[in-house]
Amino acid sequence: MSDTITGTLSVSNDVIADIAGYAALSCYGVVGMAEQLQGAESVRLLPGQRLRKGVLVTSDEAGLRVDLHVVLESGVNMKSVCENLSSAVAFTLQEIAQIDPAKLSVGIHIEALKNRLG
C-alpha cells in the first residue's frame, strides 16, 4: 500500500539540528552536546531538550553542513567515535529528512572530555 506522493519536502534548520542532536546522543562515547559560553573558555553540557544549541546547520549551493559540538567520554578512541558519529548522523538525516548524503557534510568539534559518572 505504499503510494508515492510527488512534491518536495522542506525541513527547517532547527528540525535538522534536533534530529542530528538526538542521533549524536545515541552514539557510543558521546556524553552530550556542548554549548560554547560567550566570552568564556569553558563549555556547558546541554540538557536533552536543548540539543540544537550544540548543532550548527548551514546550507549553500554545495549542500548542507552540520557541525556538532560534543562532549566525549574520557578514554574512548576519539577517531572511532567521530567516524561513528558522523556516519550515524548522516544516516539518520537521510532516513528521516530525506537529505541526500552526497550533499551533506558533518563536522565534529570535540569541546570537552568527561567521565560519564562524574
Side-chain angles (χ1 to χ4, degrees):
M1 272 203 181
S2 177
D3 293 328
T4 302
I5 300 172
T6 57
T8 59
L9 175 65
S10 178
V11 182
S12 77
N13 286 355
D14 284 345
V15 172
I16 291 170
D18 283 341
I19 293 169
Y22 285 111
L25 283 184
S26 70
C27 292
Y28 170 80
V30 176
V31 175
M33 304 303 293
E35 176 184 28
Q36 183 75 40
L37 300 175
Q38 278 192 329
E41 295 278 327
S42 61
V43 295
R44 178 176 65 177
L45 193 60
L46 294 168
Q49 65 271 22
R50 300 186 67 204
L51 296 179
R52 74 173 61 155
K53 286 186 168 261
V55 182
L56 176 63
V57 179
T58 55
S59 60
D60 59 18
E61 310 81 40
L64 187 71
R65 172 130 179 116
V66 177
D67 287 293
L68 303 166
H69 297 268
V70 296
V71 176
L72 297 185
E73 185 175 352
S74 292
V76 297
N77 182 319
M78 287 189 253
K79 182 179 184 224
S80 296
V81 170
C82 289
E83 288 171 353
N84 181 46
L85 179 56
S86 178
S87 175
V89 168
F91 176 79
T92 304
L93 287 173
Q94 178 186 4
E95 289 296 308
I96 295 175
Q98 301 294 307
I99 294 172
D100 182 1
K103 296 185 179 205
L104 174 66
S105 66
V106 179
I108 311 295
H109 305 271
I110 301 171
E111 299 295 345
L113 296 174
K114 182 176 179 166
N115 291 329
R116 196 169 282 274
L117 298 176

